[in-house]
Amino acid sequence: MEGEASPSMPPELVLVPLEANSPKKGRPQTATSNLFPPELTPFRQRRASQSRSTRSKLFQRFFFPFATDAEWNDWRWQLQNRFQDGRSLSRILRLSDDERNALDRPEGQLPVNVTPYYASLLDAGDSEQPLRRGVIPSCDEFVCTNGESDDPLAEDSMSPVHGLVHRYPDRVLFLITDHCAACCRYCTRSRVVGTGEMAPDARRWELALEYIENTPTIRDVLLSGGDPLTLSDDRLEYLLHRLRRIPHVEFVRIGTKVPVVLPQRITLPLVRMLRRYHPLWMSIHFMHPDEVTPEVERACERLADAGIPLGSQTVLLKGINDNVDTMKRLMHGLLRIRVRPYYLYQCDPITGSSQFRTPVEKGLEIIAGLRGFTTGYGVPHFVIDAPGGGGKIALVPNAVIGREEDSVLLRNYEGNVYKYPDASR
Ligand SMILES: *Cc1c(COP(=O)(O)O)cnc(C)c1O
């Protein structure tokens, strides 16, 4: 790595994986919680969402008896103690044969990454639990069906610089790191996540920044990966600072799942840094209503209080969130924690995704079950990212059912037909 190429670029975050669960002798056993200096804690936070969920507390006491609360609440500790293989996972989950076999496959697969916090949400006895299916591999992952590929959206062929996807005229997708705190089994970027292919490398960043600087049509930069929030505050700030210096870049956003799988990362110093680079928006990846916990609520509250508009992105997944009730509970949960539902994605046909993919009809059915039945803010756009690189294509249930003389015939959410007197052209 040529970290020296740019002297002001902070060194890469070094995470030394510790032996998970190992008792640490001589550690103070006192539980300290100085994360919330009282003068910085708005009254509202104290009432609603300050406490951790009982579930994660019990999990911590049981599986990490030697960890202090301060350690548990430290995002670096959470990353250092990730569950990454069958051996460690078998201590907290009753693995099914299928899961065990998938975990035993040696190489060439998307890594497994489960933070202790997210592990606390997994059901030890049910391998079909939605959250568990999202992060624990199954053997179906190794089955490649018709039409699937490693890079279905042709991102690599639309990258003027490695890791910078320029598909739309006025905005770019910048894959700043391949580190991720989750490794969702249906990840669109399974081909790069955790491979070292798109490391937060100074030279690659420099080339991407140069391209953005030299392309005045780019007014919107979307930072993704991997997960941008796995980088240190300093590294992230370096990048935001560089982007802010480019006059034509009006708008920066971060795509992340960190607030959901590693809410401890959303520290006060992080949000204080982020708020210096407005306008900054964030798209947070949610999969299921069970992910909306007190910890996640508090993380989103900090981000929203820092003035960062929060949107959500959700992938439609078979047997996980593919029904109106689950999706409605998720959207309601998001609105409660001030996250505006943005996209519902048809699952991309990446290699091994057939176990997760639903018929396109399913997404339309879900949108039809939301629109009108609940808050309009709670209805995301249902999109298919077109294979081959056509970009996102929005699908809506068809409401126009015909014409009658000068009127348009429209079907409402309850199925009743209404006439709108159309204007003449
Ligand atoms: C999704 C995406 C964007 C952002 O699209 P919006 O509809 O503006 O949110 C930009 N570039 C690429 C390559 C994308 O996949």
Side-chain angles (χ1 to χ4, degrees):
M1 189 181 123
E2 305 196 3
E4 287 69 36
S6 166
S8 55
M9 183 161 176
E12 186 168 2
L13 180 63
V14 181
L15 288 171
V16 187
L18 302 177
E19 182 62 14
N21 301 353
S22 64
K24 297 171 195 94
K25 295 204 182 69
R27 281 267 166 158
Q29 292 295 307
T30 47
T32 55
S33 177
N34 51 6
L35 286 173
F36 279 92
E39 71 278 10
L40 290 174
T41 310
F43 180 70
R44 186 159 40 84
Q45 275 186 10
R46 290 190 193 180
R47 271 198 356 251
S49 54
Q50 199 164 29
S51 67
R52 277 171 52 197
S53 69
T54 317
R55 192 172 177 125
S56 79
K57 264 185 213 145
L58 289 175
F59 185 90
Q60 179 199 340
R61 303 268 180 276
F62 197 79
F63 291 110
F64 295 91
F66 297 96
T68 63
D69 284 357
E71 283 175 318
W72 176 272
N73 289 323
D74 178 341
W75 66 279
R76 289 166 196 264
W77 182 92
Q78 286 280 333
L79 285 180
Q80 284 165 343
N81 288 280
R82 282 175 296 187
F83 294 90
Q84 297 188 292
D85 54 33
R87 193 179 54 86
S88 60
L89 282 167
S90 66
R91 282 200 291 241
I92 56 161
L93 302 176
R94 212 167 314 120
L95 294 173
S96 68
D97 290 343
D98 183 71
E99 286 174 324
R100 198 177 294 279
N101 290 337
L103 285 159
D104 280 347
R105 295 258 187 147
E107 76 295 316
Q109 66 153 322
L110 180 67
V112 175
N113 248 338
V114 187
T115 58
Y117 161 75
Y118 200 78
S120 77
L121 307 179
L122 302 185
D123 186 326
D126 179 10
S127 61
E128 294 301 306
Q129 184 214 9
L131 268 54
R132 189 157 150 179
R133 285 194 57 209
V135 291
I136 307 295
S138 78
C139 289
D140 288 339
E141 221 170 84
F142 302 95
V143 179
C144 180
T145 63
N146 221 357
E148 292 179 354
S149 68
D150 290 346
D151 182 16
L153 311 182
E155 290 186 331
D156 292 344
S157 72
M158 294 184 165
S159 301
V161 172
H162 188 51
L164 188 77
V165 188
H166 195 177
R167 172 173 300 143
Y168 298 107
D170 73 339
R171 54 207 190 279
V172 283
L173 173 71
F174 187 178
L175 308 177
I176 64 176
T177 176
D178 60 21
H179 282 290
C180 191
C183 295
C184 306
R185 306 326 293 172
Y186 49 88
C187 179
T188 295
R189 310 238 162 70
S190 297
R191 70 185 188 285
V192 290
V193 169
T195 58
E197 260 281 299
M198 276 175 204
D201 161 281
R203 202 169 53 91
R204 190 173 66 82
W205 277 17
E206 206 49 49
L207 290 173
L209 287 163
E210 245 168 59
Y211 179 85
I212 298 169
E213 278 161 2
N214 295 330
T215 315
T217 53
I218 298 173
R219 42 161 289 286
D220 170 4
V221 177
L222 168 49
L223 304 178
S224 184
D227 200 311
L229 294 186
T230 58
L231 296 174
S232 68
D233 292 5
D234 287 351
R235 276 231 154 181
L236 209 50
E237 177 159 25
Y238 168 81
L239 192 59
L240 291 171
H241 183 78
R242 288 288 307 270
L243 287 168
R244 266 292 152 263
R245 282 198 339 217
I246 306 172
H248 53 266
V249 174
E250 298 169 9
F251 177 75
V252 176
R253 38 182 171 162
I254 295 176
T256 177
K257 195 175 169 81
V258 155
V260 180
V261 294
L262 185 61
Q264 297 78 7
R265 173 71 185 95
I266 312 303
T267 60
L268 291 174
L270 174 72
V271 296
R272 267 190 227 114
M273 183 276 281
L274 292 176
R275 68 186 307 162
R276 286 202 291 270
Y277 296 93
H278 275 311
L280 181 70
W281 291 46
M282 203 174 271
S283 291
I284 307 177
H285 174 186
F286 280 89
M287 182 187 82
H288 192 275
D290 291 351
E291 292 178 328
V292 184
T293 64
E295 290 94 327
V296 171
E297 178 175 357
R298 194 178 61 181
C300 290
E301 188 165 35
R302 283 184 174 181
L303 292 166
D305 283 350
I308 303 169
L310 305 176
S312 72
Q313 0 193 33
T314 299
V315 181
L316 180 58
L317 299 164
K318 187 159 75 186
I320 292 182
N321 58 19
D322 60 341
N323 60 78
V324 174
D325 177 61
T326 304
M327 210 53 96
K328 198 192 277 174
R329 281 194 294 127
L330 174 59
M331 299 309 153
H332 287 174
L334 295 177
L335 292 178
R336 266 195 288 107
I337 62 171
R338 294 194 276 166
V339 178
R340 159 72 151 114
Y342 181 39
Y343 278 140
L344 174 63
Y345 291 106
Q346 176 70 11
C347 185
D348 290 327
I350 58 147
T351 306
S353 62
S354 63
Q355 54 170 329
F356 291 120
R357 285 189 285 123
T358 57
V360 172
E361 282 299 316
K362 198 46 147 179
L364 288 168
E365 189 187 306
I366 286 169
I367 298 301
L370 294 174
R371 173 65 65 197
F373 290 101
T374 194
T375 314
Y377 278 128
V379 186
H381 303 284
F382 174 48
V383 294
I384 301 185
D385 219 327
K392 296 177 181 69
I393 299 174
L395 274 71
V396 279
N398 193 7
V400 179
I401 59 172
R403 297 192 77 96
E404 203 177 271
E405 287 144 24
D406 290 337
S407 294
V408 189
L409 297 178
L410 301 165
R411 188 171 33 217
N412 85 339
Y413 70 104
E414 296 166 307
N416 302 326
V417 177
Y418 295 83
K419 262 198 238 180
Y420 175 81
D422 208 5
S424 48
R425 294 191 190 220

